Amino acid sequence: MALDTHVDYIRRQYKKLTRPRLIPREIELKVQAQNSRKDTLLDSCIQACLLCPSLRRHLGLFNSLSHSAMSSNETDSMGPPKVFRIVNQEWQSKGFHTFMRTLDSIYLAEWANPHGRCCIPGNAPRTQVVQGKCEVGHAPKGLPRNCYDADWYESLQPFQQRWLQQLEEDYDFAIHANEL
């Protein structure tokens, strides 16, 4: 077993060294960093849902999402503290986007003032600001109708709409103050 794993590792390393680089290393590293931040954002939304028992009903939605469904962020600042601009994805509806930002706020509030602990270990969450910028992004399949932006969905070809397998029901994004 260990030998098989090591042989797979050696093969990956060999391929990495022998194949021509199609994408410059700097761009490759930037994309990896963005994907890592998207993973962190997805994890923080899931953690926000786990904090309150009444928000756990939203965990089913996150089973349909991957990090590619998360809004991206970008920064121009080089030194700490970095401020990241949130870059929305075109396929996300306003309701979906607002819901995700609300979960971010819940996570940040819990991080800043944890109950029953002295602090949450690790680096501080990133400082993010909302910006009107959008990117194309990758829309996940099988989400409820109101997760997708209606204008974006109508702009798709019929085969693309079928591929998305949009659910015809609407999702309840509401998070009431008594749930927190």
Side-chain angles (χ1 to χ4, degrees):
M1 182 69 172
L3 182 60
D4 290 340
T5 304
H6 184 67
V7 168
D8 289 343
Y9 169 77
I10 296 297
R11 283 185 179 149
R12 282 193 309 274
Q13 294 301 317
Y14 178 77
K15 284 180 184 178
K16 199 185 291 186
L17 291 172
T18 59
R19 68 179 169 175
R21 187 173 295 280
L22 301 175
I23 301 172
R25 182 74 178 146
E26 297 80 28
I27 294 173
E28 192 176 317
L29 290 174
K30 184 178 179 181
V31 169
Q32 287 175 355
Q34 274 185 335
N35 288 340
S36 176
R37 286 193 298 269
K38 287 181 177 185
D39 280 336
T40 302
L41 288 172
L42 181 60
D43 289 343
S44 68
C45 287
I46 291 170
Q47 288 299 317
C49 288
L50 290 171
L51 289 172
C52 304
S54 59
L55 295 180
R56 291 187 181 158
R57 64 186 170 92
H58 296 295
L59 289 175
L61 177 65
F62 290 103
N63 288 335
S64 305
L65 300 177
S66 68
H67 76 266
S68 64
M70 303 304 291
S71 294
S72 183
N73 55 33
E74 57 186 25
T75 184
D76 290 332
S77 59
M78 296 308 258
K82 287 187 177 183
V83 175
F84 290 84
R85 295 182 307 273
I86 297 172
V87 180
N88 298 329
Q89 295 192 13
E90 289 178 349
W91 66 267
Q92 295 176 344
S93 69
K94 183 72 174 162
F96 181 82
H97 181 70
T98 303
F99 169 69
M100 298 301 275
R101 296 290 75 78
T102 303
L103 290 177
D104 284 347
S105 299
I106 292 169
Y107 178 78
L108 287 172
E110 174 64 18
W111 181 86
N113 188 19
H115 299 287
R117 297 186 305 273
C118 61
C119 66
I120 293 178
N123 293 333
R126 298 176 184 279
T127 304
Q128 296 181 330
V129 293
V130 177
Q131 181 181 334
K133 190 174 179 180
C134 281
E135 67 181 9
V136 176
H138 301 285
K141 290 183 183 180
L143 295 179
R145 173 180 43 221
N146 62 338
C147 290
Y148 301 110
D149 181 71
D151 294 334
W152 173 84
Y153 187 79
E154 290 302 318
S155 72
L156 298 176
Q157 298 292 326
F159 74 91
Q160 292 171 316
Q161 291 178 355
R162 284 190 304 274
W163 180 85
L164 274 179
Q165 302 168 1
Q166 171 183 282
L167 303 177
E168 290 305 315
E169 73 251 12
D170 283 342
Y171 189 80
D172 180 18
F173 293 120
I175 298 177
H176 305 288
N178 61 352
E179 290 181 307
L180 303 176

